[in-house]
Amino acid sequence: LTPVIIRYRQAKFDIFHAGYPFTDKLIAMIKMYPHCYFNLCWLAEVSIKLYMDILDRIIEILPSNKIFAFGGDYMFVEGCYGAQKNARKAVAAVLADRVMQGYFSPEQAVLFASKILNSNAKNTYKPD
């Protein structure tokens, strides 16, 4: 994937499923290339603990504008609704822990959640 990312620097690469099972390599790649984004879609449905562990890790490594906390890849709306509910619950739990640790203020955690659940995707995929 790296040669493609280097060749097409004008393209945006939204890499799904946290790159699982190559998550650590993807984290390094996302950090290196400004046109690449880390997407946690699908992971909350597979393992909520894995989702939370990865989110907790990338909070300290990646810029917040490069993280997408949810993407629904279901063919029916009910599945997408349930998946986003799981993702929101996991995001809230991870950020609540970070607030308790003093890493974020409550206001910073709310802003971070808003970015990774909503505005990052809007800002990245808005029509020109």
Side-chain angles (χ1 to χ4, degrees):
L1 189 56
T2 303
V4 174
I5 288 170
I6 291 170
R7 183 171 180 181
Y8 296 100
R9 292 184 184 273
Q10 75 286 1
K12 295 176 182 176
F13 290 88
D14 177 2
I15 304 174
F16 284 13
H17 310 150
Y20 188 81
F22 307 105
T23 302
D24 290 335
K25 290 178 182 176
L26 178 62
I27 292 169
M29 187 184 308
I30 299 299
K31 189 154 180 73
M32 287 178 55
Y33 299 108
H35 59 300
C36 294
Y37 301 88
F38 192 95
N39 197 322
L40 287 152
C41 66
W42 170 79
L43 227 48
E45 295 99 294
V46 174
S47 169
I48 203 73
K49 176 156 179 21
L50 179 61
Y51 178 98
M52 292 171 67
D53 289 347
I54 291 171
L55 177 59
D56 192 54
R57 185 179 326 152
I58 63 175
I59 284 172
E60 293 186 9
I61 301 171
L62 297 178
S64 62
N65 67 318
K66 298 186 88 181
I67 302 169
F68 301 145
F70 175 74
D73 44 359
Y74 275 93
M75 293 176 44
F76 51 94
V77 72
E78 294 85 0
C80 191
Y81 173 76
Q84 65 83 24
K85 217 169 164 182
N86 282 343
R88 287 182 190 200
K89 193 174 177 180
V91 167
V94 169
L95 294 180
D97 284 346
R98 287 295 183 138
V99 168
M100 296 301 289
Q101 296 166 8
Y103 186 87
F104 284 130
S105 69
E107 296 79 17
Q108 290 170 322
V110 168
L111 178 61
F112 186 88
S114 177
K115 288 177 77 173
I116 69 172
L117 287 165
N118 187 317
S119 61
N120 286 349
K122 281 184 182 177
N123 293 335
T124 302
Y125 292 107
K126 67 182 174 193
D128 292 335

